[in-house]
Amino acid sequence: MQTNTCIKYEEPWRNALNERSYWYHSMEFPDGTSVKGSWTISDFDQYIGNYDLNGKYVLDIGTASGYLAFNAEKAGADVTALDAASTHEFRHVPFAESLSYRDVRRFREVWNSENLIPIKNSWWYAWHKYNSRAKCVYAPMPELYEWPEQMFDVVMAGAIVEHLSEPVFAIGAWARLAREAVLIPFTDVVPEDDLLMRSITPLEDSRINYVWWHLSRGLYNKIFNNLGFDVHYTTAYAQHNDAVGGAEKATRPSIVAIRRGTVAAQTFVPAALPTHVQLPEKQEPRNRSLLRRLWRS
């Protein structure tokens, strides 16, 4: 992996404690302890489209509590995890009654103390538990365009596209850094070949201001084709522990985009995807999720 002095790796947080953490992912640690997060992923290989990470340099975008990062490390990868440097990077759908619209400075303070710091703390707590060697970077998405091209073999971005106001711009950054493949696990895809982005919600509920777009299959294919990648779709499963009616199993596509001309382009065999991918009719509010915490504001 290339190195560059413009990339500032985070010094390990030595005082990361579980009681100061918010857990996005459920985790089971080597010492027999465990934590329950908003999402439980029971099969990492299936979740990432059964892509082989052994011996690869991997970047985990939007690492949250680090389930993908630490499981990639278990799979034999050399891992760098990325998350937001500050709350200035978050964009929310504007509603007149939302705190992020009414008072963005106050919103950033609340988001930082109740969400960003606790979820970073969970990553470092898990890092210590796993005795991990993974590196961590806190940097805004546009900065990735300043990093060396094809710095990593594989870039992963799990369940994050829907939270980005500019997903096409972000996908370009991920592809630029990937020598071999971009994995976008567990992300709904509009099953149409037209180039479109569709609003995830009817934009009627100000409490659900943290999700933006579902991209169409045609748009994903076009973006990656322009960048020199071929796209495969597989199926991923996870348990949503914060669903309104209780824990429920969720099924979404995982996207595996492979750069043309690589060995992986010749050898990767994707699992079959159901012929029809049904999008949810509506997005229900979550009871206890990371994003639920701001609703009372």
Side-chain angles (χ1 to χ4, degrees):
M1 180 177 62
Q2 303 178 54
T3 58
N4 193 291
T5 55
C6 74
I7 301 171
K8 184 179 183 300
Y9 295 98
E10 187 77 2
E11 290 293 328
W13 292 18
R14 298 299 180 186
N15 61 343
L17 300 175
N18 187 21
E19 59 267 25
R20 299 177 187 170
S21 298
Y22 165 73
W23 292 96
Y24 185 77
H25 303 110
S26 298
M27 301 276 197
E28 294 183 359
F29 302 120
D31 64 2
T33 61
S34 63
V35 291
K36 186 176 182 180
S38 293
W39 289 91
T40 299
I41 303 167
S42 58
D43 188 335
F44 171 72
D45 290 336
Q46 162 268 317
Y47 190 81
I48 66 167
N50 294 302
Y51 198 89
D52 184 8
L53 299 180
N54 186 37
K56 305 294 175 62
Y57 291 107
V58 172
L59 176 65
D60 177 28
I61 301 284
T63 189
S65 296
Y67 175 88
L68 269 65
F70 300 124
N71 277 274
E73 189 175 32
K74 289 180 191 176
D78 184 313
V79 178
T80 299
L82 177 86
D83 223 327
S86 78
T87 52
H88 285 71
E89 297 166 44
F90 292 94
R91 301 288 182 268
H92 285 77
V93 180
F95 288 90
E97 60 269 35
S98 296
L99 180 63
S100 57
Y101 183 83
R102 301 191 328 263
D103 187 346
V104 70
R105 289 187 176 86
R106 176 57 183 156
F107 160 77
R108 289 169 182 160
E109 291 174 359
V110 174
W111 188 271
N112 189 63
S113 63
E114 296 192 14
N115 299 278
L116 186 57
I117 296 301
I119 206 166
K120 287 181 177 181
N121 203 72
S122 71
W123 194 94
W124 287 108
Y125 180 86
W127 185 84
H128 287 290
K129 280 285 191 177
Y130 286 122
N131 194 27
S132 174
R133 298 180 64 183
K135 297 177 287 295
C136 190
V137 180
Y138 296 136
M141 201 73 69
E143 193 172 293
L144 301 187
Y145 278 94
E146 302 173 16
W147 292 15
E149 285 189 80
Q150 300 186 35
M151 183 178 177
F152 300 90
D153 295 311
V154 178
V155 174
M156 301 187 298
I160 189 176
V161 170
E162 55 266 40
H163 298 299
L164 302 176
S165 60
E166 298 180 277
V168 176
F169 176 81
I171 291 168
W174 307 340
R176 182 180 173 278
L177 294 178
R179 183 179 305 114
E180 181 177 297
V182 176
L183 312 182
I184 306 180
F186 202 65
T187 296
D188 277 317
V189 177
V190 179
E192 297 181 18
D193 291 325
D194 290 337
L195 309 183
L196 59 87
M197 294 195 299
R198 180 176 295 166
S199 175
I200 292 176
T201 75
L203 301 180
E204 295 173 346
D205 188 342
S206 63
R207 297 172 300 170
I208 310 176
N209 65 355
Y210 46 81
V211 289
W212 290 86
W213 313 108
H214 286 143
L215 280 61
S216 69
R217 177 180 58 225
L219 184 55
Y220 276 116
N221 291 344
K222 182 63 174 176
I223 294 166
F224 278 113
N225 179 65
N226 289 347
L227 297 169
F229 291 73
D230 291 320
V231 184
H232 307 273
Y233 298 89
T234 66
T235 308
Y237 305 94
Q239 179 173 292
H240 185 200
N241 298 318
D242 296 339
V244 172
E248 61 184 20
K249 185 176 182 179
T251 304
R252 299 179 189 173
S254 283
I255 299 167
V256 179
I258 302 180
R259 189 179 291 277
R260 299 185 194 108
T262 61
V263 173
Q266 304 299 321
T267 59
F268 177 70
V269 179
L273 180 74
T275 56
H276 180 66
V277 180
Q278 181 65 48
L279 294 178
E281 294 182 1
K282 61 181 179 178
Q283 175 144 344
E284 296 291 349
R286 302 175 185 176
N287 282 335
R288 193 186 53 81
S289 71
L290 168 69
L291 299 154
R292 170 75 178 180
R293 298 180 181 196
L294 291 182
W295 289 4
R296 64 178 180 271
S297 302

